[in-house]
Amino acid sequence: MYHRHFGLVRAPFTIAPDPRFLYMSERHREALAHLQWGLERDGAFVLLTGEVGTGKTTLSRLLLDRLPEDTDVAFVIHPRVTVTELLATICEELHDPPPDAERASVGRLVDRIHHRLLEAHARGRRTVLVIDEAQNLATDVLEQIRLLTNLETSERKLLQVILLGQPELGAMLEAPELRQLAQRVTARYHLLPLSAGELSALVHHR
């Protein structure tokens, strides 16, 4: 009913992460700048945390829309997986699905990803892995992701990783067993909820 009343052509408060509906508050601009800065460095991990509904996923979609055309992206949205499941998903996201015979072998899957990354690098392309809801990753899966970032040439890392997650992700990375991963985070930002004044601006923007 309110669609007709206000002359709207689509629902303005859909929960889909559509960058066109993202209200860029000062915090969101800062978060985007941190993500972009982190990806411009030759580091491994960029970290964005925030409570549910603060706009992490939508902001990441905006970031991906602004990446250079020479960038390949693997986007993982269901991170509650085993090591082999994650590696197979990365292969599929990079348009190189592994045969069934390789899906149970960590070594073969890593070799396949390495080969794909080297091919991309030879063609002048870079590769970014984005993992949403990363607080759901098991410790051994996080460690395997860190090992993937060891893949490099003499000039640069072959894979950069963006981790999006709720605040507990930051606490997870403080664990002693993940200290090596934490040391590779080149940029991090914690996205706070909107203020009361920003809420009004959000409604008008939507």
Side-chain angles (χ1 to χ4, degrees):
M1 181 173 65
Y2 74 90
H3 287 196
R4 293 195 303 272
H5 177 78
F6 289 105
L8 302 175
V9 296
R10 67 185 65 182
F13 296 103
T14 173
I15 61 173
D18 188 340
R20 294 174 298 177
F21 286 107
L22 179 62
Y23 169 64
M24 291 295 287
S25 70
E26 183 63 32
R27 295 186 183 94
H28 287 84
R29 286 193 291 270
E30 288 180 359
L32 181 61
H34 274 74
L35 293 175
Q36 292 173 322
W37 183 88
L39 288 180
E40 289 170 0
R41 309 278 79 75
D42 189 26
F45 290 89
V46 178
L47 181 65
L48 177 63
T49 57
E51 291 290 351
V52 175
T54 49
K56 301 182 298 297
T57 302
T58 310
L59 192 63
S60 71
R61 297 294 174 92
L62 177 62
L63 173 71
L64 297 182
D65 286 347
R66 296 185 178 184
L67 287 177
E69 292 184 359
D70 62 354
T71 306
D72 295 325
V73 177
F75 204 117
V76 178
I77 58 175
H78 300 294
R80 199 180 291 275
V81 291
T82 65
V83 168
T84 53
E85 288 170 340
L86 176 75
L87 294 174
T89 299
I90 294 172
C91 289
E92 290 164 359
E93 284 289 307
L94 296 177
H95 308 291
D96 188 24
D100 291 340
E102 291 187 9
R103 287 182 176 270
S105 171
V106 171
R108 287 191 175 186
L109 290 169
V110 170
D111 287 344
R112 195 174 194 87
I113 293 171
H114 191 195
H115 180 71
R116 190 71 172 181
L117 294 177
L118 286 172
E119 280 187 339
H121 177 71
R123 291 184 284 115
R125 301 186 65 81
R126 57 190 299 206
T127 305
V128 176
L129 170 63
V130 183
I131 302 182
D132 202 359
E133 301 294 345
Q135 76 280 351
N136 291 321
L137 291 167
T139 299
D140 62 329
V141 179
L142 278 167
E143 175 61 12
Q144 180 59 62
I145 295 170
R146 183 189 70 81
L147 293 175
L148 285 180
T149 63
N150 286 339
L151 303 177
E152 59 189 1
T153 67
S154 58
E155 302 170 346
R156 57 176 295 185
K157 296 285 187 183
L158 293 174
L159 182 68
Q160 289 181 289
V161 182
I162 300 176
L163 297 178
L164 312 171
Q166 295 172 28
E168 50 264 38
L169 174 61
M172 288 171 57
L173 297 184
E174 294 177 3
E177 59 268 28
L178 291 175
R179 64 185 182 280
Q180 289 180 293
L181 189 157
Q183 291 170 357
R184 295 191 184 182
V185 176
T186 56
R188 66 176 70 206
Y189 191 87
H190 182 68
L191 192 57
L192 294 173
L194 296 177
S195 66
E198 290 169 330
L199 180 60
S200 176
L202 166 68
V203 172
H204 283 286
H205 172 77
R206 287 267 181 167

